[in-house]
Amino acid sequence: ADEFDDAALRGDTFYASVAVGGVDHQASLTTTAPFALNNPPGNDVDLIVLAVTMGYVSGTLGGGFLAAAKYFEDSLKVRPSGTLCVARGSLRLTDGFGKMSGVPLETVTLTAGAVLLFPVCDIAPKLATTAANSPPDIYDLKYRVIVPPGGTFVLSGVAGAGGAAPRVTLGCFWKEVKRLV
């Protein structure tokens, strides 16, 4: 068994995604975001982002990329707001809310714009009639993002012209680890 298997067996891994109808992937990093994983201030765990997912739902996607970004509560400690995503624990696909510390949100409002960390993948122009639509993608982040208490991991599109009413599903897999500091 590897480290992920052990964490899953302990019930320390979780996943969440936006509603099945999808969300607008956004065109830039602003004070709104289609998906965010918040670690509320005062938590005693770090959230380690393991992977993110994106799948096409409908509309016309413009060219651009899916961005991984960060956001920290402002000086007034205003947490991001949005619709709570359906989340599950990886162990036996159970409801993750009993033990889960992370707060996954969709259609998120921030008090300031998120800051780009890195592009996750390209968003290719696409419409529902495009031949050979691709399946949803999973992007392994290989433990590159750790969200401390008070921090928020954000997924948002940074898209060029050409999109019309784009809808995608976005999701996240993460594990929760007791803070060492």
Side-chain angles (χ1 to χ4, degrees):
D2 66 15
E3 183 179 346
F4 177 79
D5 294 335
D6 292 341
L9 290 170
R10 284 191 308 272
D12 295 334
T13 58
F14 305 91
Y15 65 94
S17 66
V18 302
V20 72
V23 293
D24 182 336
H25 63 52
Q26 304 273 131
S28 63
L29 293 173
T30 65
T31 57
T32 60
F35 179 87
L37 177 62
N38 176 255
N39 191 359
N43 265 352
D44 64 348
V45 297
D46 285 323
L47 311 180
I48 300 174
V49 180
L50 303 171
V52 298
T53 63
M54 181 176 72
Y56 171 76
V57 175
S58 64
T60 303
L61 301 183
F65 64 93
L66 179 66
K70 66 179 180 176
Y71 167 79
F72 284 89
E73 276 89 30
D74 64 14
S75 61
L76 300 175
K77 301 294 183 209
V78 176
R79 289 181 49 200
S81 62
T83 302
L84 193 61
C85 292
V86 173
R88 297 281 185 251
S90 295
L91 182 61
R92 292 183 287 284
L93 303 179
T94 58
D95 184 357
F97 290 103
K99 182 179 178 185
M100 184 175 69
S101 295
V103 180
L105 302 165
E106 70 177 77
T107 315
V108 183
T109 300
L110 310 168
T111 58
V115 176
L116 177 67
L117 292 171
F118 51 86
V120 174
C121 66
D122 286 337
I123 298 174
K126 183 186 296 190
L127 15 122
T129 58
T130 302
N133 277 323
S134 59
D137 293 309
I138 297 177
Y139 302 97
D140 185 353
L141 296 186
K142 300 188 187 316
Y143 299 85
R144 290 185 180 104
V145 177
I146 299 173
V147 185
T152 301
F153 174 72
V154 173
L155 288 175
S156 182
V158 177
R167 305 292 288 180
V168 297
T169 59
L170 296 170
C172 181
F173 297 88
W174 74 96
K175 100 175 169 178
E176 298 185 357
V177 177
K178 279 276 194 210
R179 289 186 58 82
L180 298 175
V181 267

